[in-house]
Amino acid sequence: MEKDQVLKKKNLFQKCLDGIEIVGNKLPHPVALFSIFCLAIMIISAVAAASGLSVEGELINRTTNKLELQTITAVSLLSREGIIYMLENAISNFVNFAPLGMVLVGMLGIGTAEGSGYISALLKKTVAITPAQLVTPMVVFLGVMSNIASDAGYVVLVPLGALIFMSFGRHPLAGLAAGFAGVSGGFSANLIVGTIDPMLAGLSTEAARMIDPTYTVTATSNMFFMIASTFLITLLGWFITDKIVEPRLGAVKGGSTLSKDDDDLRNLSDKEKKALKITNFTILIILIAIVGIVLMPNSVLRNTAIEAEKGFVNSIIDHSPLMNGFVPIMAMIFFVAAIVYGRTSGQFKNHRDVCTEMGKAMSSMGGYIALAFIMAQFVQYFSYTNLGTILAIEGANLLGSMNMNSIVLMVVFVLFAGFINLFMGSASAKWAIMAPVFLPMFMKLGISPELTQVAYRIGDSTTNIISPLMSYFAMIVIFAQKHDKKAGIGTLISTMVPYTIIFLIGWIILLGIWMMLGLPLGPGAGLVYPLA
């Protein structure tokens, strides 16, 4: 009777989400599904190459780092060269798959810390000091802020979001969704400049100089807008999680796997308090030491090669050893925390216990490693065949032929960027293709490069969380299955669709208001490019 009442209360949108989940979960296992995708790319690339599919566009030559007019032609994977490519590069595709090493190294430290009991104790302390009503915005906000260190939030914050919610007796998948929404859906937002800012700014500068050889897009050019976006995404993520996602998850059969032992997450013994205090003090010393090293002259953690040109701050965030090595550093900190806490609490008796726990942490990633192998092939196949590049350039040409005012044009561009993001996961790779096409085009219409870059970042962020081609999507599915064994691609996509839709609408509204008010996007970064 109660179930019938719940079903009757579901509106059309909730029924659509249920339909997405049902259809998605009836798809083959993710390993089999991406194997099918690989086969499809082989066939499509062969047909496209046989038909002579090609397109011309101004693209950045990654060898010379200069813009060149290039003809992009579809390449067949079923040709002699394509078959040789697949055979010779299968291992390198897997080994060089960016998320693989990051995830495994990160989990080596985090998994050991979890096995030592440190993560559990830290969560107990978090539960004790955090008001229940602020848990959701805290998780979303920390997710947004995590992109300071690029992709590290996927490895750390998403699984911790599930554990934090579980600590409060809430649905773990809602916590996972809140963390994922902050980390990935709000990827471009932040209160300070992150690693993505100088990366995109560099590409934007090269593209803008096709029109104005003296033009420079700085790493801070979107700062004001992204600061406002941080609060917007936090508030929207809070609303979506508490009012849409978690109520729906509560009605899903077998949705929550909370056990009786999880109630113990609320209790912190005297022994745990002592071990936690010593461990946190140790971590504080490590963090102070890292800051001290960063501040040293010619620091090994700064990019000293660009310090003279771009300043001290850029030497820290712009491809610095600190940012590039953030995950190994983070893993080391968690590993030290595991040893200190484990020894102090009595969980670890000797080094053998530590090594055993490291092995357990890695054994839990077997499913992800198998999936990563197939995903790595698919991502590289899509790049090798040039299908993603052709799609982006053809879409750009279509968009450029439309006669629209600046606000409408930017909204359409946001939607276009979000659509392309479903097929190409890397933010920098897409912008390397799209910036040379769109920036000059929009500059000729009086739109500043900084505004075009902001619109791109909105579209690129909002659809990350529903794209199976996003590099970390498979890993998030694996995290979800730890709390719900029946969870699949359909479960994750249906859970994240509300975030995509509402983030997209909210961010577009913010952009429209920003443009109507004529506010600067960052220090010295306006909305208009003055036409001669």
Side-chain angles (χ1 to χ4, degrees), residues 194-232:
T195 56
I196 191 68
D197 293 279
M199 188 184 304
L200 296 182
L203 294 171
S204 296
T205 296
E206 291 298 321
R209 286 179 177 176
M210 294 173 63
I211 302 296
D212 185 346
T214 64
Y215 204 97
T216 299
V217 179
T218 66
T220 60
S221 63
N222 295 155
M223 178 180 287
F224 297 159
F225 185 83
M226 290 308 166
I227 289 174
S229 297
T230 300
F231 296 106
L232 174 72

Side-chain angles (χ1 to χ4, degrees), residues 147-394:
N147 70 58
I148 295 171
S150 190
D151 297 340
Y154 290 104
V155 183
V156 182
L157 199 53
V158 176
L160 283 183
L163 292 176
I164 289 171
F165 267 51
M166 194 165 63
S167 302
F168 280 84
R170 298 176 61 180
H171 201 299
L173 292 191
L176 180 142
F180 188 28
V183 172
S184 196
F187 183 73
S188 278
N190 214 297
L191 297 180
I192 60 177
V193 174
T195 56
I196 191 68
D197 293 279
M199 188 184 304
L200 296 182
L203 294 171
S204 296
T205 296
E206 291 298 321
R209 286 179 177 176
M210 294 173 63
I211 302 296
D212 185 346
T214 64
Y215 204 97
T216 299
V217 179
T218 66
T220 60
S221 63
N222 295 155
M223 178 180 287
F224 297 159
F225 185 83
M226 290 308 166
I227 289 174
S229 297
T230 300
F231 296 106
L232 174 72
I233 294 301
T234 300
L235 292 174
L236 292 179
W238 185 2
F239 170 79
I240 297 165
T241 303
D242 288 359
K243 301 300 182 182
I244 300 176
V245 171
E246 191 164 20
R248 177 177 174 273
L249 285 172
V252 175
K253 184 178 180 181
S256 178
T257 56
L258 294 174
S259 66
K260 294 180 180 179
D261 293 337
D262 294 320
D263 292 334
D264 187 53
L265 283 170
R266 291 186 173 274
N267 302 315
L268 196 64
S269 67
D270 291 338
K271 193 173 186 179
E272 287 175 323
K273 289 178 181 178
K274 178 182 176 181
L276 184 62
K277 185 179 293 185
I278 294 173
T279 306
N280 287 343
F281 182 71
T282 302
I283 291 176
L284 178 62
I285 292 175
I286 294 175
L287 293 177
I288 292 173
I290 292 174
V291 172
I293 294 173
V294 170
L295 296 176
M296 289 174 58
N298 298 316
S299 171
V300 70
L301 295 180
R302 293 204 312 271
N303 186 346
T304 53
I306 68 166
E307 186 168 355
E309 178 184 354
K310 297 184 178 180
F312 176 79
V313 174
N314 279 289
S315 72
I316 297 175
I317 63 175
D318 194 351
H319 297 289
S320 69
L322 177 65
M323 292 292 104
N324 292 340
F326 188 87
V327 170
I329 292 172
M330 176 200 66
M332 178 198 70
I333 292 173
F334 273 105
F335 185 71
V336 172
I339 294 175
V340 173
Y341 185 88
R343 289 288 294 177
T344 307
S345 66
Q347 180 68 24
F348 293 155
K349 306 299 183 186
N350 50 50
H351 75 281
R352 291 181 176 83
D353 292 339
V354 178
C355 295
T356 299
E357 200 59 54
M358 292 172 65
K360 288 180 181 178
M362 287 296 97
S363 65
S364 66
M365 299 304 294
Y368 173 72
I369 294 172
L371 183 55
F373 177 79
I374 302 299
M375 279 198 69
Q377 309 310 317
F378 176 74
V379 170
Q380 291 303 315
Y381 289 176
F382 213 83
S383 174
Y384 176 82
T385 58
N386 289 329
L387 294 178
T389 304
I390 291 172
L391 179 63
I393 294 176
E394 288 287 10

Side-chain angles (χ1 to χ4, degrees), residues 448-463:
S448 72
E450 292 85 356
L451 178 55
T452 304
Q453 182 176 280
V454 157
Y456 166 74
R457 295 174 74 170
I458 293 173
D460 174 67
S461 296
T462 50
T463 55

Side-chain angles (χ1 to χ4, degrees), residues 115-128:
S116 73
Y118 174 66
I119 299 295
S120 175
L122 193 61
L123 289 173
K124 292 176 186 179
K125 188 66 176 178
T126 301
V127 171

